[in-house]
């Protein structure tokens, strides 16, 4: 694997291989033992959009593998002087990083960059298209929580239309043999989402007791140029995971959220911090999974 641009194009054995290596890396992070699988000279994180988890997690993963990390942010850069995406990434590439983790507000930006640079490109989230490292850490977390993914029913709930996390997860979980149901108001479910392999529901109460996991999505108001919902309060009432709904979930069922959370909108605080929540496990696993990704692209 030279680049990781999306889950699209990855087959099941490749995903399984990455998840298996993630397990090795998780053990090594927990025990501090295990040989460092490789030492890259340095990598760059190139984020045109804000991030807490993804950036820090890639940086922690690279540092723990012995690579130096250099951070570039759009804020404070020559982007404000009109420099193009391609000029920016070619200039960073000319400095010689082994890999760049790129996040950009436009779908396809990392793919364009990959065609013009010498180093590896890892997609840290592009527009509403894909967020492959998030989907892999979600699959890893679900596999650990549920034992396996084959035959499991996973609901992805909320603002599916604006979510690159949803798209990558639909591809990844269905490749691994899980059944994916996306759920939200019709205006936030893209019309052709079934073609990616998901079923559609517009009624969270009808499915919440039937699934093995619920993945809540943030309502991405910053990506919504027009009003997709009558009100945030109504959206929360109909599609928020509150305690009453979480209490109806199957005994073993778990709750995920990629973060950042809109507490009290798509997820109640009691649920986010409750016994079913695997939200901080997702973050913990993210470092191990990103070590496996860096290793695979190295
Ligand atoms: C997500 C993203 O940026 O796509 N966050 C993340 O990487 N964990 C989801 C979001 O912003 O809601």
């Amino acid at each position: 694997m030279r680049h990781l641009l999306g889950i699209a194009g990855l087959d099941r054995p490749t995903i399984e291989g990455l998840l298996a290596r993630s397990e090795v890396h998780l053990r090594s992070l927990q025990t501090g033992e295990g040989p460092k699988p490789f030492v890259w000279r340095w990598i760059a994180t190139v984020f045109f959009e804000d991030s807490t988890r993804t950036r820090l997690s890639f940086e922690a993963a690279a540092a723990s593998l012995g690579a130096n990390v250099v951070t570039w942010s759009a804020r404070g850069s020559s982007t404000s002087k009109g420099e193009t995406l391609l000029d920016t990434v070619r200039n960073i590439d000319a400095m010689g990083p082994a890999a760049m983790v790129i996040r950009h507000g436009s779908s396809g930006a990392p793919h364009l960059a990959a065609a013009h640079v010498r180093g590896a490109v890892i997609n840290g989230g592009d527009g509403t298209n894909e967020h492959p490292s998030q989907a892999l850490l979600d699959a890893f977390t679900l596999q650990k929580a549920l034992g396996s993914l084959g035959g499991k029913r996973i609901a992805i709930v909320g603002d599916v239309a604006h979510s690159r996390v949803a798209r990558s997860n639909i591809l990844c979980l269905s490749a691994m043999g899980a059944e994916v149901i996306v759920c939200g108001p019709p205006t936030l479910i893209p019309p052709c989402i079934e073609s990616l392999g998901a079923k559609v529901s517009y009624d969270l109460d009808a499915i919440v007791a039937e699934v093995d996991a619920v993945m809540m999505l943030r309502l991405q108001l910053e990506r919504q140029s027009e009003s997709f919902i009558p009100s945030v309060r109504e959206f929360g009432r109909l599609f928020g995971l509150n305690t009453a709904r979480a209490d109806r979930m199957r005994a073993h069922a778990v709750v995920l959220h990629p973060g950042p959370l809109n507490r009290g909108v798509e997820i109640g605080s009691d649920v986010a911090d409750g016994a079913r929540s695997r939200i901080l496990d997702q973050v913990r696993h993210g470092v191990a999974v990103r070590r496996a990704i860096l290793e695979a692209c190295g």
Side-chain angles (χ1 to χ4, degrees):
M1 199 158 93
R2 168 140 185 254
H3 306 293
L4 177 65
L5 299 175
I7 300 295
L10 298 188
D11 56 13
R12 184 170 179 162
T14 306
I15 296 171
E16 281 171 347
L18 285 165
L19 298 183
R21 276 309 284 174
S22 302
E23 186 65 51
V24 173
H25 284 294
L26 184 65
R27 264 202 307 275
S28 151
L29 286 164
Q30 283 165 346
T31 60
E33 286 165 16
K36 284 189 177 159
F38 73 100
V39 182
W40 264 351
R41 288 153 301 153
W42 64 284
I43 73 154
T45 51
V46 180
F47 276 51
F48 290 84
E49 270 189 359
D50 295 345
S51 164
T52 297
R53 279 149 293 268
T54 305
R55 180 204 281 273
L56 202 63
S57 180
F58 267 114
E59 293 179 352
S64 75
L65 289 171
N68 289 314
V69 183
V70 174
T71 289
W72 179 94
S73 300
R75 212 165 292 167
S77 77
S78 291
T79 299
S80 66
K81 301 179 188 170
E83 186 166 65
T84 66
L85 159 70
L86 262 190
D87 279 335
T88 301
V89 296
R90 282 160 118 173
N91 275 272
I92 296 170
D93 187 56
M95 298 177 204
M100 269 184 247
V101 182
I102 300 179
R103 168 171 285 193
H104 199 281
S106 297
S107 300
H111 308 66
L112 179 69
H116 290 90
V117 298
R118 284 170 307 169
V121 173
I122 296 166
N123 183 354
D126 64 321
T128 57
N129 179 39
E130 278 230 45
H131 194 343
S133 65
Q134 180 70 42
L136 289 165
L137 75 87
D138 292 338
F140 184 77
T141 303
L142 285 168
Q143 204 173 45
K144 282 185 101 59
L146 305 174
S148 66
L149 291 169
K152 299 294 189 303
R153 303 178 94 190
I154 316 292
I156 301 180
V157 183
D159 188 355
V160 178
H162 300 99
S163 178
R164 52 199 178 204
V165 174
R167 233 166 302 278
S168 285
N169 262 293
I170 294 168
L171 294 170
C172 187
L173 293 169
S174 29
M176 292 297 290
E179 182 189 327
V180 180
I181 308 168
V182 295
C183 177
T187 48
L188 290 178
I189 304 284
C192 297
I193 199 84
E194 282 109 333
S195 66
L196 294 181
K199 295 187 174 153
V200 174
S201 163
Y202 302 116
D203 184 355
L204 180 56
D205 287 317
I207 62 164
V208 75
E210 312 290 327
V211 296
D212 299 291
V214 178
M215 182 183 297
M216 299 307 300
L217 301 172
R218 183 173 66 88
L219 186 60
Q220 299 195 31
L221 291 170
E222 81 279 12
R223 288 193 208 279
Q224 302 185 17
S225 49
E226 53 194 287
S227 184
F228 283 77
I229 48 168
S231 81
V232 170
R233 193 171 344 150
E234 187 191 67
F235 171 83
R237 194 168 53 76
L238 293 172
F239 295 100
L241 191 61
N242 53 27
T243 310
R245 289 198 174 105
D247 285 348
R248 291 188 48 232
M249 289 172 67
R250 298 171 74 185
H252 67 271
V254 293
V255 173
L256 276 72
H257 191 307
L261 311 179
N262 284 317
R263 287 175 182 265
V265 180
E266 73 270 356
I267 190 162
S269 269
D270 289 352
V271 179
D273 304 326
R276 292 185 188 281
S277 172
R278 295 293 177 274
I279 295 173
L280 291 179
D281 282 346
Q282 291 173 269
V283 180
R284 216 166 281 126
H285 297 155
V287 181
V289 172
R290 288 174 173 124
R291 272 175 70 145
I293 292 169
L294 290 170
E295 176 186 49
C297 294

